[in-house]
Amino acid sequence: MSEENNDQPTAADEDTVEVAEGRSKKEVALENEGEIAADYLEELLDIADLDGDIDTFVEGGRAHISILNGSEVLVGRDGEVLEALQELARLAVMTETGHRSRLMLDIAGHRETRRTALQELAADAVNDVKETGEPVRLAPMNPFERKIVHDAVAAAGLISESEGEEPQRRVVVLPRRDRRVRRAVWPGL
């Protein structure tokens, strides 16, 4: 018979300690997601012989990982490499935890810079809609970008909807009207 080592904390003990420190099980799980993704991305950076500082934090119910480096190679054209790395990090988390992750990855401040540009684009579209009363269709965007635009339009008091299929899905900014009237006037929306 083997003797159990009762000095080692169990996963249940760690959960109790974490929750007792004022963090919920969800926060602990999100922090764990961030750590798993950061470890995975650090290995990738080492393999590619690239430098970068990795920071993790939890915000808005998501794990966030930020790689700080001066290289645009990890961002790619229109953030394509960034999106691919984010998906790989999400898959690494899912492999480890068995759960799909919604983590967000930012590299060299690309997402924050893009967020600012999208908020300005949304403000311009809102102004156009208010001046003309006509809907404004924006260029195709990925889900992250569309969410930023939808939030900015809602904050400005107008309505927006997404139309089309990926990768050509886009935001349409609409004048504030009754939804049934909007459908009748613009049947494609």
Side-chain angles (χ1 to χ4, degrees), residues 42-103:
E42 187 172 7
E43 287 181 38
L44 278 178
L45 288 176
D46 287 344
I47 290 168
D49 197 27
L50 294 170
D51 292 325
D53 294 327
I54 299 177
D55 185 28
T56 64
F57 58 97
V58 174
E59 181 178 87
R62 287 184 185 217
H64 290 258
I65 296 89
S66 181
I67 299 177
L68 307 171
N69 74 0
S71 175
E72 289 292 314
V73 72
L74 291 176
V75 174
R77 192 190 76 192
D78 297 327
E80 290 174 345
V81 175
L82 169 60
E83 292 292 330
L85 289 171
Q86 178 175 279
E87 279 307 307
L88 288 172
R90 287 176 173 178
L91 287 172
V93 169
M94 188 166 73
T95 299
E96 183 88 15
T97 66
H99 300 287
R100 179 89 172 120
S101 173
R102 296 176 51 233
L103 71 85

Side-chain angles (χ1 to χ4, degrees), residues 49-177:
D49 197 27
L50 294 170
D51 292 325
D53 294 327
I54 299 177
D55 185 28
T56 64
F57 58 97
V58 174
E59 181 178 87
R62 287 184 185 217
H64 290 258
I65 296 89
S66 181
I67 299 177
L68 307 171
N69 74 0
S71 175
E72 289 292 314
V73 72
L74 291 176
V75 174
R77 192 190 76 192
D78 297 327
E80 290 174 345
V81 175
L82 169 60
E83 292 292 330
L85 289 171
Q86 178 175 279
E87 279 307 307
L88 288 172
R90 287 176 173 178
L91 287 172
V93 169
M94 188 166 73
T95 299
E96 183 88 15
T97 66
H99 300 287
R100 179 89 172 120
S101 173
R102 296 176 51 233
L103 71 85
M104 293 294 294
L105 174 64
D106 192 9
I107 298 174
H110 175 79
R111 286 202 194 272
E112 196 54 44
T113 301
R114 185 70 178 136
R115 176 186 307 275
T116 301
L118 289 167
Q119 289 170 334
E120 290 171 5
L121 176 70
D124 291 344
V126 164
N127 289 335
D128 289 349
V129 169
K130 285 180 176 178
E131 286 176 13
T132 66
E134 296 295 318
V136 173
R137 285 176 174 72
L138 302 177
M141 300 175 192
N142 66 40
F144 165 78
E145 295 171 331
R146 289 194 308 270
K147 171 84 167 93
I148 291 168
V149 172
H150 286 304
D151 290 348
V153 169
L158 292 184
I159 299 168
S160 60
E161 295 181 349
S162 293
E163 72 176 13
E165 300 294 323
E166 296 293 353
Q168 295 300 312
R169 197 154 171 84
R170 68 184 66 235
V171 174
V172 180
V173 181
L174 303 161
R176 182 171 274 305
R177 294 186 183 167

